[in-house]
Amino acid sequence: MFTYIDPSVRERLIDQGKLIRIDEFGAVTDPRAAPGPGARTISVLGPIPLPLERHGRHYTVDWYAAVRHTELNKATELADALRRREGQGSFALLADSMAVNSVLVMGDPGKWKDPLVRVHSSCLTGDVFGSGRCECGPQFIAALERIDADPAGGMIIYMSGHEGRGIGLWAKAATYLLQDAGENTYQANRTLGLPDDSRDFSDAASLIRYFLGDKPFRLLTNNPKKVDDLRAMGISNVTRVKHVCGVGETNRGYLEAKRDWGHEFGDEDIS
Ligand SMILES: [Zn+2]
């Protein structure tokens, strides 16, 4: 299931430059060296060509999978233990402990000038099922379309651990029931004793630095807090670009709650 389970495959991928490790500042580090205590490093696998087709359009995308090295190490240790005990049936449990983020690159990062970037939080109900309770699905497709059509190119960083603004899918399901009983999306989080927004963008910041260095870029988001979070992590050359899409009867109240909370768009964007 995991290429890293077989050390010879891992070595081969490192030799090919397809398994690398970056530090929190996006600098490439030795993938074979043990990171120092407290070091936050990310292992990155790719590029993996992905032929995407959404809504009848084709996109040429290079996919990179990214996981925190500490999480990968824990999984590797467990995998070794399971292999010794021939516990194959338990291997699927390993994946649960790892948030594997994705980077979808469109174009050649070496040639990018002021590219478009979307840091997209995973949303199973919106992105995969096509739910109209939120606008995540249309935002994802529109990001693909906008980056593909932009001469500067760019990338989508897909944050897999960000379901429900970081509270997880189970709690998100509970907030939907609370919302149907009259609460808005933020009140429902608070009723559950959870933060309004608990997303951690530090891995996204490291990946932006790896792919862009200090180049300026445009971030597709309506959420100034996302820009502030990236700036707090030293990402300064970022310009926010409004990204309102998929507005309909089923999500207008949700979007109004987001605007009241601080997202920036006008009445005309959601009417
Ligand atoms: Zn969503």
Side-chain angles (χ1 to χ4, degrees):
M1 180 165 65
F2 297 108
T3 52
Y4 61 74
I5 284 177
D6 183 332
S8 70
V9 174
R10 185 174 184 280
E11 284 300 307
R12 193 165 74 223
L13 292 170
I14 291 172
D15 288 342
Q16 293 170 344
K18 290 183 175 162
L19 172 56
I20 62 154
R21 198 188 295 164
I22 60 172
D23 65 16
E24 62 188 294
F25 306 107
V28 177
T29 64
D30 182 356
R32 294 183 175 92
R40 186 172 63 74
T41 63
I42 299 172
S43 295
V44 182
L45 263 181
I48 302 156
L50 275 193
L52 297 191
E53 186 181 333
R54 299 300 295 261
H55 295 192
R57 278 180 66 170
H58 298 269
Y59 303 94
T60 305
V61 167
D62 279 327
W63 174 41
Y64 294 81
V67 65
R68 282 198 190 188
H69 189 72
T70 44
E71 296 175 13
L72 190 59
N73 262 2
K74 275 182 228 149
T76 302
E77 283 167 21
L78 279 169
D80 285 342
L82 284 171
R83 217 174 13 207
R84 283 196 298 274
R85 290 183 222 151
E86 299 181 344
Q88 290 289 343
S90 305
F91 272 63
L93 293 174
L94 296 179
D96 289 349
S97 64
M98 290 203 307
V100 180
N101 299 315
S102 288
V103 185
L104 299 175
V105 168
M106 301 169 86
D108 178 356
K111 294 179 182 160
W112 282 344
K113 282 201 177 83
D114 201 18
L116 271 180
V117 175
R118 166 82 183 158
V119 178
H120 190 89
S121 296
S122 62
C123 175
L124 179 79
T125 48
D127 298 338
V128 179
F129 299 159
S131 161
R133 274 183 176 260
C134 55
E135 86 284 38
C136 303
Q139 276 191 317
F140 181 81
I141 301 290
L144 267 180
E145 288 171 356
R146 291 180 80 173
I147 295 168
D148 186 54
D150 197 289
M155 63 182 179
I156 299 176
I157 300 177
Y158 191 89
M159 303 300 292
S160 66
H162 279 184
E163 191 69 57
R165 291 192 302 274
I167 61 174
L169 189 57
W170 184 250
K172 178 173 130 177
T175 65
Y176 276 1
L177 292 172
L178 292 170
Q179 287 172 51
D180 288 349
E183 299 186 9
N184 79 25
T185 177
Y186 298 103
Q187 289 165 336
N189 278 31
R190 288 173 217 148
T191 300
L192 291 175
L194 297 167
D196 286 4
D197 190 337
S198 44
R199 290 175 291 180
D200 174 4
F201 289 103
S202 54
D203 283 13
S206 303
L207 290 164
I208 286 169
R209 282 188 159 140
Y210 169 66
F211 283 98
L212 298 183
D214 291 328
K215 277 184 201 169
F217 68 97
R218 294 164 292 152
L219 188 70
L220 290 168
T221 183
N222 306 316
N223 183 3
K225 184 178 178 292
K226 202 182 276 187
V227 176
D228 293 344
D229 283 0
L230 290 175
R231 289 213 170 106
M233 286 175 268
I235 306 276
S236 54
N237 288 331
V238 48
T239 309
R240 192 170 64 80
V241 175
K242 198 164 67 172
H243 193 54
V244 183
C245 19
V247 183
E249 284 310 310
T250 54
N251 63 14
R252 190 164 288 114
Y254 167 80
L255 287 163
E256 283 166 356
K258 279 175 119 177
R259 186 173 59 180
D260 292 345
W261 192 81
H263 285 228
E264 289 185 358
F265 45 79
D267 277 338
E268 68 284 3
D269 292 314
I270 58 169
S271 61

